[in-house]
Amino acid sequence: MILASLIGTSLEWYDFFLYTTAATLVFPQLFFPDLDPFNAILASLTTNAVAFVARPLGGIVFGHFGDRAGRKTVLVVTLLVMGVSTFLIGVLPGYASIGVIAPVLLALLRFVQGLGLGGEWGGAVIMSLEHGDGRRRGFNASWPQVGVPAGYVLATGLLTVMSFTMSDAAFLSWGWRVPFLLSGALVFVGLWVRLKISESPLFAEVEQHGAKAKMPLVEVLRTHPRALLSAFTARIGVDVAFYTFTAYIIVYITGELALPRSYALNAVLIASALQLALIPVAGAMSDRYGRRPVYLAGVVGAAVWVFVFFPLLDTKSFPLIALAAIVALVTHAAMYGPQAAFIAELFSTRLRYSGASMGYQVAGIVGGSLAPVIALQLFHTFQTTLAVSVYVVVALVVTAVGLAIAPETRDLDLAADPGVPAKPPLPGQVGPFA
């Protein structure tokens, strides 16, 4: 089950990060050639942000069916949605061929990508959480989170290889398209794995007792408002920090510092590779010490490090730039590892897909979608990275508040669901947070 979730989410995030990286390296020239460099990058990042607007809608739609029809079916559909839209981006003509229709279609396909990812996260996390040993939920649920650095490493690594094995003209003409087209083949691997997994045992129990919610989202809003608020706020700072450390770094290093793009790409690749091991470690630590303490340690670490991050980039030394990225993503791993279990555990089984997806994905609009754009505008306005650092810290403070208003979820009994006979709780367990 863990392997199925990891492979599927890795492929989805591969598709997602292909676009994010291409939006900083390729799309400004290909789809916005008539704009000056600053506004071209800004426009490209804005189309990137469209996916974050679509993700809550995807979370609502697929969350509804995930709580009504089951987790497995929805996970197959979301993988297809993401794979097809990514493939179509790979064959999309540029502005020079079809004019303004090109960026419009680009934004539309990015929107469809967002729909797929919006439904993917909740299903993958919940399937991992609801299978297996209840005392290892943090560790189990952290594996879909590993799909983020895995997808980033695969996407950025392929774009980097294509970029450095051909001329700039060839890369801009067709080289960047190869990783997007490859998604069409990779999606069959993910489908083969996902079709073999079994349905969540907790959902099967809800279904057996006829306790499925008729309108899951409406019921979530009515019965879990505090959980939604906690999930929403706890995610914002994590997203802002992550996209500052991984997306804005590319813009800053290539644009403001006039360094080769390899400096930023390789630094983030090294740091992301390290996260492959650190995220499940953080998830396991949350099983031992609690979700909130581990999560909060990452929040504090990121808030401190962001003031060191930019001065290290300003040295223009690759080893120090790599150090900046590595420590930044270590702090992110501490937040991201326990995050999946923490958010999913806030909601009862019959509403978990809708509740977790809604809280997580709506936060992405305020956090991840706007982070690179706001960072770009802040530096352009104030001409100092201090403004960007303060912005990241403010977002992290919001996350700390979200953790403070929630209970510790590690020992919650996930079987204690309204309408479903609860199994005897483990020692120290309490009912779900409503």
Side-chain angles (χ1 to χ4, degrees):
M1 182 60 244
I2 288 176
L3 180 62
S5 293
L6 175 59
I7 290 175
T9 52
S10 296
L11 293 179
E12 294 249 7
W13 282 107
Y14 163 77
D15 292 347
F16 195 78
F17 283 126
L18 268 180
Y19 191 104
T20 301
T21 305
T24 61
L25 296 178
V26 177
F27 294 164
Q29 302 98 303
L30 194 65
F31 292 96
F32 306 97
D34 290 347
L35 301 178
D36 62 84
F38 173 80
N39 284 311
I41 291 178
L42 190 61
S44 183
L45 290 175
T46 301
T47 66
N48 182 53
V50 166
F52 292 87
V53 177
R55 281 167 64 173
L57 181 58
I60 292 171
V61 173
F62 291 117
H64 173 86
F65 289 106
D67 284 328
R68 292 288 302 161
R71 290 42 165 143
K72 177 180 174 177
T73 301
V74 171
L75 284 175
V76 170
V77 173
T78 58
L79 190 62
L80 279 171
V81 168
M82 180 66 96
V84 171
S85 58
T86 303
F87 180 85
L88 291 177
I89 291 173
V91 298
L92 183 64
Y95 186 92
S97 299
I98 58 175
V100 72
I101 296 176
V104 171
L105 290 176
L106 181 69
L108 178 62
L109 290 171
R110 183 57 167 170
F111 185 86
V112 176
Q113 278 192 322
L115 291 176
L117 192 63
E120 161 72 21
W121 180 87
V125 164
I126 290 167
M127 286 288 274
S128 298
L129 185 83
E130 293 179 348
H131 280 81
D133 188 347
R135 291 165 294 186
R136 291 164 56 94
R137 295 196 307 248
F139 177 74
N140 292 342
S142 71
W143 282 100
Q145 306 286 74
V146 176
V148 173
Y152 186 91
V153 168
L154 185 58
T156 309
L158 278 175
L159 280 175
T160 301
V161 169
M162 299 303 296
S163 175
F164 287 98
T165 55
M166 59 182 61
S167 66
D168 286 346
F171 179 71
L172 286 174
S173 174
W174 62 270
W176 68 271
R177 298 180 183 275
V178 174
F180 283 84
L181 298 177
L182 184 61
S183 177
L186 292 176
V187 72
F188 287 104
V189 177
L191 285 175
W192 178 77
V193 171
R194 286 202 163 163
L195 287 171
K196 289 181 173 293
I197 63 177
S198 60
E199 183 55 85
S200 154
L202 288 181
F203 176 80
E205 191 174 351
V206 168
E207 192 171 38
Q208 178 184 349
H209 289 88
K212 293 188 292 185
K214 293 182 178 180
M215 295 295 292
L217 181 60
V218 174
E219 196 167 334
V220 167
L221 292 170
R222 181 174 58 84
T223 63
H224 292 66
R226 187 176 167 194
L228 273 175
L229 179 62
S230 180
F232 172 78
T233 51
R235 167 140 152 78
I236 288 176
V238 184
D239 245 22
V240 169
F242 178 75
Y243 283 96
T244 301
F245 293 148
T246 61
Y248 181 66
I249 185 178
I250 298 174
V251 177
Y252 184 72
I253 284 179
T254 58
E256 302 302 329
L257 301 182
L259 292 172
R261 59 176 173 256
S262 61
Y263 275 45
L265 292 175
N266 291 337
V268 178
L269 275 173
I270 293 169
S272 296
L274 185 61
Q275 275 199 313
L276 296 174
L278 291 178
I279 288 175
V281 168
M285 289 177 65
S286 77
D287 287 327
R288 183 182 179 94
Y289 302 108
R291 313 288 186 236
R292 293 193 302 173
V294 178
Y295 206 136
L296 187 59
V299 170
V300 174
V304 172
W305 189 251
V306 74
F307 291 103
V308 182
F309 180 75
F310 286 108
L312 287 178
L313 300 187
D314 289 338
T315 65
K316 298 187 177 183
S317 164
F318 177 74
L320 293 179
I321 290 173
L323 176 64
I326 288 170
V327 177
L329 292 193
V330 167
T331 67
H332 177 261
M335 297 183 282
Y336 208 55
Q339 183 186 77
F342 172 77
I343 291 178
E345 288 165 345
L346 292 172
F347 302 92
S348 55
T349 300
R350 60 200 296 271
L351 304 172
R352 185 165 295 126
Y353 206 137
S354 295
S357 295
M358 188 64 177
Y360 185 90
Q361 302 299 353
V362 171
I365 299 177
V366 182
S369 70
L370 298 177
V373 176
I374 290 176
L376 188 67
Q377 289 282 25
L378 284 172
F379 185 84
H380 185 70
T381 301
F382 296 101
Q383 291 298 303
T384 174
T385 56
L386 182 62
V388 180
S389 298
V390 170
Y391 160 59
V392 173
V393 169
V394 169
L396 289 168
V397 169
V398 173
T399 287
V401 172
L403 295 175
I405 65 174
E408 175 52 60
T409 64
R410 178 188 60 178
D411 296 321
L412 297 182
D413 179 13
L414 299 189
D417 204 331
V420 180
K423 296 177 182 178
L426 295 173
Q429 282 186 325
V430 295
F433 176 48

